[in-house]
Amino acid sequence: MNTNVTAHDALVDNYLRAVGQALTGVPAYRRDELLQDLREHIAAGRAELGEDETEAEVRSLLDQLGDPAEVAAEARIDTGPTPPPLLQLQPSKRIGAAVWVLIALGLCAMLCVGALLVGLFAVSRSTVDGKTPAPAPVVSAMHS
Amino acid sequence: MATQGTVCGMDGPAALSTALRRGTLEFCVLALMEDGEQYGVELVRRLGAERTLTTSEGTLYPLLARLRRAGRVATVWRESPSGPPRRYYALTPDGHAALKVFRTEWSAFRDTVDRIVGTRAR
């Protein structure tokens, strides 16, 4: 058994901790997923090295994986407000949003006009009945 | 790291490479799986050695995770004769379709850029 295995484990742990720290702000499930992928990669590499792995070999394995900040930055790419860049999806989504805004505006306009008409109708009826046009029916009409 | 400005993507060769990789690297990953499932670690090593495409092996794992979430690749675990279980990656029908679309788009894109920039191969 290699007596330095614990020292090598510590190197790996430090590396993974550095990646983990650089991942602040990335959703937990994605952070765990990436750390798991890296852990597996390292485990596979060390299994190939065998029990007489050297510190230099373990360091080289981690160097190949790259700078923790750089790896974390790559994981950050799709944490922004826009979804991952998967070609055709983007434009149609934007068009979709515009359509929804227009529909919402249209509905608002229709509701306002409707409420106004109901209010006017209520006022005209109460005037015909010979009563003074009180605001109360208008308010209740708008709530109905 | 060079002490370049970091305001936009027009500040040096590193920024240019990053911009060029965006949108193309994922299709290189898909293309490597086209002929059949690939062991994840092998895939990452092969691409990691292509220095025009990647900066390091580790940066490929977030990309693979994105492809999994987008449903373009699927993974399966297989026992290994030596060492821990291995994760294999394969294209889904969606992945195959995406690669096909990319090939058409890329050819047209490359031809146009080559023609305008004057980099057409002789």
Side-chain angles (χ1 to χ4, degrees):
Chain A
M1 193 71 196
N2 191 324
T3 48
N4 290 319
V5 163
T6 12
H8 301 168
D9 284 348
L11 281 178
V12 171
D13 288 346
N14 283 341
Y15 180 84
L16 292 173
R17 197 174 306 120
V19 177
Q21 278 166 2
L23 283 169
T24 46
V26 174
Y29 76 98
R30 291 240 299 275
R31 193 177 58 223
D32 296 346
E33 183 183 57
L34 175 58
L35 289 174
Q36 190 54 38
D37 279 342
L38 295 174
R39 208 172 282 125
E40 282 157 25
H41 182 100
I42 295 166
R46 291 183 72 186
E48 283 168 24
L49 291 173
E51 284 188 356
D52 47 349
E53 61 176 18
T54 65
E55 185 185 322
E57 285 170 331
V58 175
R59 282 190 188 278
S60 154
L61 189 65
L62 300 177
D63 283 349
Q64 290 286 316
L65 271 178
D67 178 15
E70 220 169 66
V71 176
E74 191 64 28
R76 239 169 240 291
I77 285 175
D78 49 354
T79 56
T82 46
L86 293 173
L87 286 182
Q88 314 106 326
L89 285 175
Q90 299 277 55
S92 65
K93 271 193 180 168
R94 250 180 237 143
I95 291 165
V99 168
W100 281 116
V101 167
L102 282 176
I103 289 173
L105 282 174
L107 281 175
C108 277
M110 277 167 69
L111 276 174
C112 289
V113 170
L116 208 69
L117 284 175
V118 170
L120 282 174
F121 180 68
V123 169
S124 66
R125 278 201 56 168
S126 58
T127 317
V128 168
D129 288 348
K131 292 172 196 161
T132 44
V138 179
V139 172
S140 66
M142 282 184 79
H143 277 274
S144 62
Chain B
M1 277 284 149
T3 51
Q4 296 167 338
T6 51
V7 185
C8 65
M10 298 192 180
D11 49 10
L16 176 60
S17 319
T18 308
L20 288 175
R21 284 170 197 156
R22 290 263 175 281
T24 50
L25 180 56
E26 67 173 272
F27 296 98
C28 296
V29 176
L30 295 182
L32 286 181
M33 302 172 199
E34 202 177 17
D35 295 331
E37 62 173 32
Q38 297 285 322
Y39 173 33
V41 172
E42 276 305 317
L43 197 64
V44 163
R45 282 185 188 152
R46 271 176 75 184
L47 276 164
E50 301 283 356
R51 281 303 142 110
T52 44
L53 281 178
T54 57
T55 44
S56 66
E57 291 175 350
T59 54
L60 289 161
Y61 283 108
L63 173 59
L64 285 170
R66 281 201 291 280
L67 291 171
R68 286 201 297 266
R69 280 196 295 276
R72 293 188 170 180
V73 302
T75 62
V76 61
W77 289 95
R78 301 203 186 284
E79 285 304 320
S80 154
S82 60
R86 298 173 159 196
R87 190 176 208 170
Y88 282 79
Y89 287 76
L91 286 189
T92 61
D94 254 18
H96 276 288
L99 187 55
K100 200 177 165 199
V101 170
F102 178 78
R103 285 203 165 106
T104 314
E105 290 289 319
W106 176 254
S107 304
F109 183 87
R110 183 194 54 206
D111 288 350
T112 307
V113 173
D114 281 346
R115 177 167 48 78
I116 292 173
V117 178
T119 46
R120 203 189 295 264
R122 282 158 215 186

